[in-house]
Amino acid sequence: MPMNPRRTLPPTALPALLAALIALVPALLWAPARAAAGPVQARPVQAASVQAGTVQAAPGGFPITFQNNTRGAYADTRVFVTVLGQVTPGQWSYMKPDGSMAHIDHRDAAAPGHLVKNGVNYPNMSFTLAQVGGTIPSPASIRGGRIYVSLGSPVYFPVSPDDQGWGGPDPRNPNDPNRDVYYDWYEYTFVRGQVAFGGNTTQVDQFGFPMTSRLRQTSSGYDTTRGITRTRAEVMQQYAASVGAAFRPLQSTYRIVAPRSSELFLAGGAQQNHLTAAIDQAWAFYAAHPFTLTRLGETFSGRVSGSTLTFTKNGAGPFTLRKPTSPDVMACAGALASGNDTEKQLGAEFCAAFNRGVALDTTAWHTPAAYYGGAAKNDYAGFFHTVALDERAYGFPYDDVGDQSSVQILGNPEPPTGLTLGIGW
């Protein structure tokens, strides 16, 4: 995605990149691992040294520096970081303050220094900026990495009894221990020599506070910053003044929840039919008119009959895409994430078009100036593009369609020179 300075990958790489980004994000509840169940002894996996704010990364790794931009609201002793990821494929690990990675272990919930919230014990897998001097070393291999940052309190993560998964914050769970915690996160994947660094700030699930990411690689000349530099108060005030009435209840004291993470926009919710009329209109239109989409040197052609769009890709096929529901669109799930790779590819395009309000005109699907102009759209996603640097944001799961997301991808599998994460307030 980013090169010139926005894109480091050629357009033909974007379909594969989309699939990689989907795989990047762990599940919200138990993040699955693909290994035999059973207790695993905690052990160091990747060692490094951190002394007085300086960091020496392990071979092939790179430093991650945190900038406390909370303007005095939160001292470094009250800014917490939790890093989770798969250093060994299929096995989840967390980062210790010295930069080493250790396998998650449910028994840590009873270890000295464990966390307690509402009478429930949790492993303490976090550290403060003060403990590490503001810099940590990333290992040379980490898949599905998440860097959770929280202010005033750590984030509480349960670990499954078989030590094969962990539980992330769940805005839909009224008993979630993180409901009154200010948190946000950065997600990334990197395997030196195999998988180029790819990472991004995100509002796919929620917005907690502004974050920025500056990614540098001296050898390739890459130096790009993404994210939000406005204050939290500005973002919260502008959101309330900008979005339609259906989206205002997503905002609370602690966060703005994404439609896909809110019961309001899911099946059974008050806004479950928010985009139903727009979906019906598009399906009726492509029943009466041929569907044609040309992008990145590929052409999709077909027609709707009943609830199914039957189409070809560059003349090959046929393939099918079922008519989505409004919750499918908000979550980029269901009918829009089913079938083979070609069907999922067009499903991603339709999901982006519906969220951006341009589904009736395929010539506008890759024209950012046309996005979010109509009444039937995802106001939440549209808003975050207005407050983000270069208008790049991850407001819904397929927001990287058309190269509109905050993702940063290096063009080679060598380590970055450094990643700097700014923590705003």
Side-chain angles (χ1 to χ4, degrees):
M1 290 176 131
M3 182 187 193
N4 286 336
R6 300 182 178 183
R7 189 180 298 276
T8 54
L9 294 180
T12 53
L14 290 178
L17 174 59
L18 176 61
L21 289 170
I22 294 170
L24 179 78
V25 186
L28 272 176
L29 290 177
W30 293 118
R34 297 177 295 279
V40 178
Q41 193 71 31
R43 65 187 187 281
V45 177
Q46 194 84 22
S49 62
V50 181
Q51 294 182 345
T54 63
V55 58
Q56 181 179 351
F62 59 92
I64 301 175
T65 301
F66 297 88
Q67 289 182 342
N68 184 342
N69 298 330
T70 64
R71 299 175 297 125
Y74 292 91
D76 284 359
T77 54
R78 301 182 66 216
V79 179
F80 295 82
V81 175
T82 309
V83 181
L84 292 156
Q86 294 187 11
V87 176
T88 300
Q91 297 292 322
W92 289 100
S93 297
Y94 71 96
M95 182 178 285
K96 293 185 174 183
D98 66 357
S100 63
M101 300 293 290
H103 198 286
I104 60 174
D105 191 334
H106 73 284
R107 294 170 296 183
D108 288 344
H114 68 267
L115 305 177
V116 182
K117 183 72 176 285
N118 299 328
V120 178
N121 293 350
Y122 299 91
N124 186 356
M125 299 185 289
S126 65
F127 49 81
T128 67
L129 296 193
Q131 286 179 272
V132 299
T135 301
I136 59 173
S138 178
S141 172
I142 187 165
R143 294 171 169 87
R146 275 198 176 185
I147 302 173
Y148 282 89
V149 180
S150 54
L151 303 177
S153 164
V155 178
Y156 300 87
F157 298 97
V159 171
S160 61
D162 62 3
D163 299 325
Q164 297 303 299
W166 50 273
D170 182 4
R172 297 198 297 270
N173 179 4
N175 298 315
D176 187 271
N178 302 295
R179 287 181 68 84
D180 58 354
V181 176
Y182 295 106
Y183 65 84
D184 218 297
W185 67 84
Y186 181 85
E187 51 198 23
Y188 74 115
T189 282
F190 171 67
V191 180
R192 186 187 185 187
Q194 299 179 38
V195 180
F197 178 97
N200 56 271
T201 59
T202 176
Q203 292 81 44
V204 165
D205 291 300
Q206 61 109 56
F207 165 83
F209 45 80
M211 288 185 64
T212 58
S213 61
R214 181 188 178 191
L215 180 65
R216 295 178 296 114
Q217 188 183 56
T218 302
S219 61
S220 64
Y222 189 97
D223 188 345
T224 303
T225 301
R226 300 273 183 252
I228 299 173
T229 57
R230 304 188 193 196
T231 68
R232 186 178 193 270
E234 288 173 336
V235 173
M236 299 296 269
Q237 291 166 3
Q238 291 169 16
Y239 178 87
S242 300
V243 301
F247 292 83
R248 290 178 198 142
L250 298 174
Q251 183 175 12
S252 68
T253 299
Y254 290 95
R255 68 198 86 260
I256 305 174
V257 178
R260 83 163 194 154
S261 299
S262 169
E263 299 288 356
L264 284 174
F265 286 85
L266 300 183
Q271 301 299 332
Q272 65 175 340
N273 291 315
H274 180 73
L275 292 176
T276 298
I279 295 167
D280 289 345
Q281 184 181 16
W283 235 242
F285 182 82
Y286 294 121
H289 305 83
F291 170 82
T292 301
L293 171 67
T294 298
R295 29 70 83 212
L296 303 177
E298 300 174 330
T299 298
F300 299 82
S301 301
R303 198 151 196 156
V304 167
S305 176
S307 62
T308 301
L309 169 65
T310 301
F311 67 95
T312 61
K313 175 184 173 181
N314 293 336
F319 305 99
T320 59
L321 184 70
R322 293 182 292 111
K323 181 181 180 181
T325 65
S326 183
D328 285 348
V329 171
M330 289 300 180
C332 293
L336 299 175
S338 300
N340 59 36
D341 289 346
T342 297
E343 290 161 342
K344 290 177 181 177
Q345 188 179 13
L346 187 58
E349 293 282 346
F350 261 101
C351 185
F354 278 125
N355 274 283
R356 295 165 177 167
V358 294
L360 288 177
D361 181 5
T362 57
T363 65
W365 284 24
H366 286 250
T367 307
Y371 297 165
Y372 306 109
K377 61 187 185 302
N378 182 341
D379 286 6
Y380 169 92
F383 168 76
F384 279 104
H385 282 276
T386 68
V387 297
L389 293 174
D390 202 22
E391 298 186 352
R392 291 173 174 270
Y394 241 129
F396 59 90
Y398 290 146
D399 214 352
D400 51 351
V401 169
D403 192 20
Q404 294 302 297
S405 76
S406 56
V407 71
Q408 296 166 291
I409 308 286
L410 292 179
N412 61 77
E414 293 306 305
T417 303
L419 173 67
T420 300
L421 299 180
I423 304 163
W425 187 257

